[in-house]
Amino acid sequence: KAGVTQTPRYLIKTRGQQVTLSCSPISGHRSVSWYQQTPGQGLQFLFEYFSETQRNKGNFPGRFSGRQFSNSRSEMNVSTLELGDSALYLCASGLDRRGTDTQYFGPGTRLTVL
Amino acid sequence: GENVEQHPSTLSVQEGDSAVIKCTYSDSASNYFPWYKQELGKGPQLIIDIRSNVGEKKDQRIAVTLNKTAKHFSLHITETQPEDSAVYFCAASHQGGDYKLSFGAGTTVTVRA
Protein backbone atom coordinates (compact mmCIF):
# COMPACT_ATOMS: atom_id res chain seq x y z
CA LYS A 1 0.00 0.00 0.00
CA ALA A 2 1.37 3.43 -0.90
CA GLY A 3 2.14 5.78 1.96
CA VAL A 4 1.12 9.38 2.46
CA THR A 5 2.27 11.54 -0.42
CA GLN A 6 2.84 15.29 -0.34
CA THR A 7 3.47 17.68 -3.17
CA PRO A 8 5.50 19.64 -3.83
CA ARG A 9 8.45 18.46 -1.74
CA TYR A 10 10.20 21.83 -1.84
CA LEU A 11 8.88 25.34 -2.34
CA ILE A 12 10.45 28.78 -2.29
CA LYS A 13 8.21 31.82 -1.99
CA THR A 14 8.63 35.48 -1.12
CA ARG A 15 6.94 37.44 1.65
CA GLY A 16 3.36 38.40 0.88
CA GLN A 17 2.74 35.55 -1.55
CA GLN A 18 0.37 32.71 -0.93
CA VAL A 19 1.01 28.97 -1.20
CA THR A 20 -1.01 25.77 -1.52
CA LEU A 21 0.30 22.40 -0.38
CA SER A 22 -1.25 19.07 -1.25
CA CYS A 23 -1.57 15.78 0.62
CA SER A 24 -2.85 12.39 -0.54
CA PRO A 25 -3.59 10.05 2.39
CA ILE A 26 -3.07 6.31 2.52
CA SER A 27 -5.81 4.55 0.59
CA GLY A 28 -8.83 4.02 2.82
CA HIS A 29 -7.81 6.66 5.35
CA ARG A 30 -10.39 9.35 5.92
CA SER A 31 -8.67 11.56 8.48
CA VAL A 32 -5.97 14.01 7.43
CA SER A 33 -4.03 16.21 9.85
CA TRP A 34 -1.48 18.91 9.16
CA TYR A 35 1.50 19.82 11.33
CA GLN A 36 4.17 22.51 11.12
CA GLN A 37 7.73 21.58 12.11
CA THR A 38 10.33 24.23 12.92
CA PRO A 39 13.61 24.04 14.86
CA GLY A 40 12.32 26.53 17.42
CA GLN A 41 8.75 25.37 18.00
CA GLY A 42 9.01 21.69 17.11
CA LEU A 43 5.98 19.86 15.77
CA GLN A 44 2.78 21.85 16.11
CA PHE A 45 -0.74 20.83 15.14
CA LEU A 46 -2.42 22.99 12.48
CA PHE A 47 -5.76 21.32 11.76
CA GLU A 48 -7.49 18.02 11.09
CA TYR A 49 -10.10 17.07 8.50
CA PHE A 50 -12.47 14.16 8.36
CA SER A 51 -15.12 13.62 5.69
CA GLU A 52 -14.46 17.06 4.20
CA THR A 53 -15.08 18.79 7.56
CA GLN A 54 -12.53 20.52 9.73
CA ARG A 55 -12.81 18.68 13.00
CA ASN A 56 -10.09 20.39 15.01
CA LYS A 57 -7.85 23.44 14.71
CA GLY A 58 -4.61 24.45 16.37
CA ASN A 59 -3.46 27.88 17.48
CA PHE A 60 -2.45 29.36 14.17
CA PRO A 61 -3.62 32.62 12.57
CA GLY A 62 -6.40 32.68 10.00
CA ARG A 63 -3.80 32.95 7.21
CA PHE A 64 -3.52 29.18 7.54
CA SER A 65 -6.46 27.32 6.09
CA GLY A 66 -7.22 23.96 4.61
CA ARG A 67 -9.79 21.77 3.00
CA GLN A 68 -10.49 18.14 2.25
CA PHE A 69 -12.02 16.70 -0.87
CA SER A 70 -14.46 13.82 -1.25
CA ASN A 71 -11.58 11.44 -2.10
CA SER A 72 -9.94 12.39 1.24
CA ARG A 73 -7.13 14.33 -0.44
CA SER A 74 -6.37 17.52 1.41
CA GLU A 75 -4.83 20.89 0.69
CA MET A 76 -3.58 23.57 3.00
CA ASN A 77 -3.15 27.20 2.07
CA VAL A 78 -1.07 29.92 3.63
CA SER A 79 -1.82 33.47 2.55
CA THR A 80 0.32 36.58 2.95
CA LEU A 81 3.45 34.59 3.71
CA GLU A 82 5.80 35.77 6.45
CA LEU A 83 9.44 34.84 7.01
CA GLY A 84 8.38 32.87 10.10
CA ASP A 85 6.24 30.56 7.97
CA SER A 86 9.41 28.87 6.71
CA ALA A 87 9.04 25.31 7.96
CA LEU A 88 8.50 21.68 7.10
CA TYR A 89 4.77 21.09 6.66
CA LEU A 90 3.75 17.55 7.43
CA CYS A 91 0.56 15.75 6.59
CA ALA A 92 -0.60 12.68 8.49
CA SER A 93 -3.45 10.31 7.70
CA GLY A 94 -5.44 7.92 9.86
CA LEU A 95 -8.28 5.43 9.64
CA ASP A 96 -10.34 7.09 12.37
CA ARG A 97 -12.03 4.00 13.76
CA ARG A 98 -12.59 3.29 17.43
CA GLY A 99 -9.34 2.10 18.91
CA THR A 100 -7.27 3.18 15.94
CA ASP A 101 -5.83 6.64 16.42
CA THR A 102 -2.60 5.82 14.63
CA GLN A 103 -1.43 8.56 12.31
CA TYR A 104 1.05 8.01 9.51
CA PHE A 105 3.13 10.90 8.23
CA GLY A 106 4.18 11.86 4.75
CA PRO A 107 7.66 13.15 3.83
CA GLY A 108 6.62 16.79 4.19
CA THR A 109 6.84 19.92 2.08
CA ARG A 110 9.81 22.15 2.86
CA LEU A 111 8.63 25.77 2.51
CA THR A 112 11.19 28.57 2.43
CA VAL A 113 9.95 32.15 2.56
CA LEU A 114 12.43 34.80 1.40
CA GLY B 1 -4.00 21.88 26.45
CA GLU B 2 -1.66 18.93 26.60
CA ASN B 3 2.00 19.60 27.37
CA VAL B 4 4.56 16.88 26.64
CA GLU B 5 8.11 17.15 27.95
CA GLN B 6 10.88 14.94 26.59
CA HIS B 7 14.34 14.18 27.98
CA PRO B 8 17.16 14.09 27.15
CA SER B 9 17.42 16.38 24.13
CA THR B 10 20.53 14.55 22.90
CA LEU B 11 21.76 11.05 23.61
CA SER B 12 25.00 9.42 22.48
CA VAL B 13 25.42 5.68 23.01
CA GLN B 14 27.95 3.05 22.05
CA GLU B 15 26.76 0.52 19.50
CA GLY B 16 25.26 -2.44 21.33
CA ASP B 17 24.30 -0.42 24.41
CA SER B 18 20.75 0.55 25.38
CA ALA B 19 19.09 3.93 24.92
CA VAL B 20 16.27 5.29 27.07
CA ILE B 21 14.14 8.35 26.35
CA LYS B 22 11.59 9.65 28.85
CA CYS B 23 8.46 11.75 28.39
CA THR B 24 5.92 13.24 30.75
CA TYR B 25 2.46 14.53 29.89
CA SER B 26 0.08 16.86 31.66
CA ASP B 27 -3.44 15.93 30.53
CA SER B 28 -4.87 12.95 32.40
CA ALA B 29 -7.36 12.45 29.53
CA SER B 30 -4.54 11.45 27.17
CA ASN B 31 -4.74 7.74 26.46
CA TYR B 32 -2.66 7.12 23.34
CA PHE B 33 1.13 7.49 23.24
CA PRO B 34 3.03 6.94 19.98
CA TRP B 35 6.75 7.21 19.33
CA TYR B 36 8.10 8.43 16.02
CA LYS B 37 11.55 8.24 14.47
CA GLN B 38 12.59 10.96 12.04
CA GLU B 39 15.61 10.64 9.80
CA LEU B 40 17.14 13.54 7.94
CA GLY B 41 14.97 14.72 5.07
CA LYS B 42 12.08 12.41 5.95
CA GLY B 43 8.78 12.61 7.76
CA PRO B 44 8.28 11.03 11.20
CA GLN B 45 7.88 7.25 11.07
CA LEU B 46 5.80 5.46 13.70
CA ILE B 47 7.95 2.91 15.50
CA ILE B 48 5.75 1.85 18.40
CA ASP B 49 2.69 3.04 20.30
CA ILE B 50 0.93 2.23 23.54
CA ARG B 51 -2.56 2.81 24.86
CA SER B 52 -3.45 3.63 28.44
CA ASN B 53 -4.90 0.19 29.19
CA VAL B 54 -1.44 -1.36 28.72
CA GLY B 55 1.64 -0.87 30.88
CA GLU B 56 4.30 -2.16 28.51
CA LYS B 57 4.68 -3.11 24.88
CA LYS B 58 7.60 -4.69 23.04
CA ASP B 59 8.55 -5.01 19.41
CA GLN B 60 11.90 -6.73 18.88
CA ARG B 61 14.57 -4.31 20.18
CA ILE B 62 12.09 -1.57 21.02
CA ALA B 63 9.89 -1.34 24.11
CA VAL B 64 7.67 1.33 25.60
CA THR B 65 6.48 1.57 29.19
CA LEU B 66 3.66 3.69 30.56
CA ASN B 67 2.99 4.87 34.11
CA LYS B 68 -0.45 6.48 34.10
CA THR B 69 -0.31 7.47 37.75
CA ALA B 70 2.92 9.41 37.29
CA LYS B 71 1.94 10.50 33.77
CA HIS B 72 5.15 9.41 32.15
CA PHE B 73 6.17 6.98 29.45
CA SER B 74 9.52 5.83 28.16
CA LEU B 75 11.11 4.37 25.04
CA HIS B 76 13.77 1.70 25.42
CA ILE B 77 16.01 0.63 22.55
CA THR B 78 18.25 -2.34 23.24
CA GLU B 79 21.32 -3.50 21.31
CA THR B 80 21.54 -0.19 19.47
CA GLN B 81 22.81 -0.14 15.90
CA PRO B 82 24.12 2.74 13.73
CA GLU B 83 20.82 2.79 11.84
CA ASP B 84 19.08 3.72 15.09
CA SER B 85 20.70 7.17 14.85
CA ALA B 86 17.85 9.65 14.28
CA VAL B 87 15.58 12.11 16.09
CA TYR B 88 12.93 10.44 18.22
CA PHE B 89 9.67 12.12 19.21
CA CYS B 90 7.15 11.08 21.82
CA ALA B 91 3.55 12.23 21.51
CA ALA B 92 0.25 12.05 23.36
CA SER B 93 -3.36 12.31 22.32
CA HIS B 94 -6.87 11.63 23.55
CA GLN B 95 -8.20 8.61 21.67
CA GLY B 96 -11.73 9.20 20.52
CA GLY B 97 -11.19 12.85 21.26
CA ASP B 98 -9.70 15.51 19.04
CA TYR B 99 -7.13 13.40 17.16
CA LYS B 100 -4.51 16.04 17.87
CA LEU B 101 -1.02 14.76 18.63
CA SER B 102 0.96 16.84 21.12
CA PHE B 103 4.67 16.20 20.59
CA GLY B 104 7.72 16.35 22.79
CA ALA B 105 10.66 18.45 21.61
CA GLY B 106 12.59 15.44 20.32
CA THR B 107 15.73 13.50 21.24
CA THR B 108 18.67 13.30 18.86
CA VAL B 109 20.16 9.83 19.25
CA THR B 110 23.65 9.12 17.97
CA VAL B 111 24.94 5.55 17.99
CA ARG B 112 28.74 5.44 17.96
CA ALA B 113 30.29 2.54 16.08
Side-chain angles (χ1 to χ4, degrees):
Chain A
K1 210 180 234 187
V4 178
T5 58
Q6 293 187 245
T7 56
R9 292 294 312 278
Y10 303 91
L11 210 46
I12 299 175
K13 293 285 187 179
T14 55
R15 280 180 298 174
Q17 287 187 310
Q18 67 93 29
V19 68
T20 299
L21 313 181
S22 180
C23 170
S24 292
I26 294 171
S27 177
H29 286 194
R30 297 169 64 193
S31 168
V32 173
S33 298
W34 289 88
Y35 293 81
Q36 181 196 64
Q37 185 176 27
T38 60
Q41 299 299 316
L43 280 149
Q44 292 187 290
F45 173 77
L46 279 156
F47 28 64
E48 187 247 343
Y49 287 88
F50 179 78
S51 290
E52 302 178 65
T53 300
Q54 186 182 88
R55 195 159 59 173
N56 195 13
K57 190 177 191 307
N59 296 322
F60 279 82
R63 299 185 298 107
F64 292 82
S65 63
R67 59 177 175 168
Q68 186 180 33
F69 302 95
S70 57
N71 61 359
S72 294
R73 192 177 70 83
S74 177
E75 290 181 346
M76 67 162 282
N77 185 78
V78 188
S79 62
T80 320
L81 284 165
E82 300 177 358
L83 295 179
D85 297 333
S86 294
L88 180 67
Y89 289 89
L90 292 159
C91 165
S93 77
L95 273 171
D96 193 39
R97 292 179 187 171
R98 184 176 292 276
T100 311
D101 269 1
T102 306
Q103 295 184 45
Y104 299 90
F105 283 84
T109 294
R110 172 73 62 185
L111 172 64
T112 302
V113 182
L114 303 176
Chain B
E2 174 65 277
N3 181 45
V4 178
E5 295 193 356
Q6 183 172 346
H7 299 281
S9 57
T10 60
L11 182 59
S12 179
V13 297
Q14 190 70 36
E15 182 178 359
D17 287 350
S18 295
V20 180
I21 304 170
K22 298 183 179 182
C23 289
T24 60
Y25 61 99
S26 62
D27 189 351
S28 55
S30 290
N31 54 13
Y32 174 65
F33 307 93
W35 286 88
Y36 288 88
K37 173 185 180 183
Q38 188 174 27
E39 296 174 308
L40 207 58
K42 297 184 179 181
Q45 175 192 3
L46 179 74
I47 55 172
I48 196 167
D49 56 9
I50 192 168
R51 302 183 190 277
S52 58
N53 58 347
V54 175
E56 183 176 358
K57 184 177 178 181
K58 265 188 167 180
D59 183 4
Q60 299 182 350
R61 298 186 296 107
I62 294 174
V64 57
T65 59
L66 171 65
N67 184 325
K68 280 168 43 182
T69 304
K71 290 191 210 162
H72 67 71
F73 56 113
S74 301
L75 178 72
H76 303 251
I77 306 173
T78 59
E79 301 171 20
T80 53
Q81 300 168 4
E83 52 265 37
D84 294 329
S85 295
V87 181
Y88 291 80
F89 293 94
C90 63
S93 77
H94 180 197
Q95 176 186 335
D98 60 15
Y99 245 80
K100 165 188 169 183
L101 285 171
S102 296
F103 283 89
T107 297
T108 301
V109 174
T110 303
V111 179
R112 307 186 307 272

